[in-house]
Amino acid sequence: MSTDSHTSRPVLRPLIERFGFPHLIAMTLVVVAATILLGIAAKATGSGLACEANWPQCDAGPFNLFPANLPSFYEWFHRFVAMFAGFAIIGSAVAAVRLPNVDRRVAALVVAGMLLTPVQVALGRETVTQYTMDILALHFWTAVLIFVLFTVATVLVWAPQLTSAHVTTALAFGTIVLPFHVALSPLVIGDITNYSASMQMAQYGVTLGLLGSVIVATMVGRRRFESNRLTGLLSATTVLAVFVIFLGRRAIMTFNPALDSLYVAVAALLFVTFVIGIRQVRHAPHRSSDTRQ
């Protein structure tokens, strides 16, 4: 190896050599998901307005850097994990740009996620200082967009190791978790006052799992199968999943019987699409480069 290769990336080299870029981006995705779920917990427990509405400080300790009570701890811990998520996002983006063997599509995705991070931080501040429903919605959907960008990037990085069997697994996972998405919604619980913090975290955990499953199924399916019918069906699961997530959130935020009925109908259609997809995967022709089942 040349001298230049030893000196050009002195900070990145030890990290990448120890963990590898695929593990770095996978870890970043996990931290991003954890930050989203902790944000949901802070909102659900009413802790978003704790810390005496200070940001980025809290309400105790030197310079008000630490929490004074349990609600403040929830908000403080969310911010603490979000800080590490921000560092991981920046580190992944820098590594993706500077490492020569990283797919340029991956670099573009993680850099887009990095550019959205300060926007998300600013929205997080506004949820503390203003706390309006519009800001909460923007804060949530920006977080989901960052999650999607890193999920797609992670699948691209790990694509050579993902086979047709992973498509079946992803579809089966979606089939399992989708009923929980409906079951944990206020439509089934019946009263928004019973929609506890644990239920909200569980449903949004299912939301991220559902979104991840359709992304994996669609991307790996298009890579591994030659059937246009199957790849079209897999793409449809992604579109339907986005509608389910959007309508499910509307069911939480507002009471609208028409939208609630549409939510259930789209969820049912997505479930049927998952089942059909699993059946078609078993018989679909594989691309010649994919000899693994």
Side-chain angles (χ1 to χ4, degrees):
M1 188 175 290
S2 67
T3 303
D4 287 343
S5 64
H6 281 286
T7 60
S8 61
R9 291 179 289 276
V11 177
L12 290 175
R13 278 177 56 84
L15 179 65
I16 301 303
E17 287 176 356
R18 175 171 294 187
F19 299 105
F21 182 76
H23 294 92
L24 173 62
I25 196 167
M27 179 203 71
T28 302
L29 177 61
V30 171
V31 178
V32 167
T35 303
I36 293 173
L37 295 180
L38 287 171
I40 295 298
K43 168 186 169 294
T45 57
S47 302
L49 295 178
C51 291
E52 294 185 357
N54 293 323
W55 193 96
Q57 297 170 304
C58 201
D59 55 3
F63 305 104
N64 282 340
L65 294 178
F66 299 98
N69 49 53
L70 187 58
S72 293
F73 173 78
Y74 288 142
E75 173 64 13
W76 176 87
F77 189 64
H78 167 56
R79 298 180 190 178
F80 184 74
V81 175
M83 177 183 67
F84 279 99
F87 289 147
I89 289 171
I90 293 171
S92 296
V94 172
V97 169
R98 300 192 65 179
L99 294 176
N101 59 336
V102 174
D103 190 321
R104 294 302 92 187
R105 295 173 298 172
V106 173
L109 288 164
V110 295
V111 167
M114 182 184 70
L115 294 176
L116 282 173
T117 298
V119 176
Q120 179 70 346
V121 171
L123 290 170
R125 178 195 63 208
E126 294 303 305
T127 62
V128 172
T129 58
Q130 296 191 42
Y131 199 80
T132 66
M133 299 307 294
D134 289 341
I135 290 174
L136 283 174
L138 284 172
H139 189 49
F140 171 77
W141 289 112
T142 304
V144 169
L145 179 55
I146 294 172
F147 174 81
V148 168
L149 289 171
F150 274 87
T151 300
V152 173
T154 301
V155 174
L156 285 173
V157 170
W158 287 89
Q161 286 77 44
L162 299 177
T163 69
S164 54
H166 291 95
V167 179
T168 303
T169 301
L171 292 172
F173 181 78
T175 305
I176 293 170
V177 301
L178 179 58
F180 286 97
H181 195 277
V182 179
L184 290 168
S185 71
L187 275 68
V188 175
I189 296 170
D191 188 350
I192 193 66
T193 59
N194 295 326
Y195 192 47
S196 66
S198 59
M199 287 184 178
Q200 291 187 51
M201 282 193 68
Q203 190 188 36
Y204 281 101
V206 168
T207 294
L208 298 183
L210 180 63
L211 198 51
S213 69
V214 296
I215 291 173
V216 170
T218 301
M219 292 182 64
V220 180
R222 294 178 68 86
R223 179 185 177 92
R224 296 299 181 186
F225 296 105
E226 290 185 348
S227 171
N228 291 332
R229 180 179 179 184
L230 175 59
T231 55
L233 184 72
L234 295 175
S235 298
T237 64
T238 302
V239 175
L240 290 172
V242 170
F243 274 106
V244 166
I245 293 167
F246 173 77
L247 293 170
R249 183 170 172 82
R250 296 299 301 176
I252 296 170
M253 306 301 289
T254 61
F255 177 73
N256 188 319
L259 288 178
D260 292 347
S261 298
L262 183 59
Y263 165 56
V264 174
V266 175
L269 180 58
L270 177 57
F271 185 87
V272 172
T273 306
F274 277 141
V275 173
I276 295 174
I278 292 172
R279 292 175 62 87
Q280 289 195 8
V281 163
R282 297 175 182 174
H283 308 291
H286 294 74
R287 295 190 183 279
S288 57
S289 61
D290 182 23
T291 59
R292 294 165 293 181
Q293 300 297 317

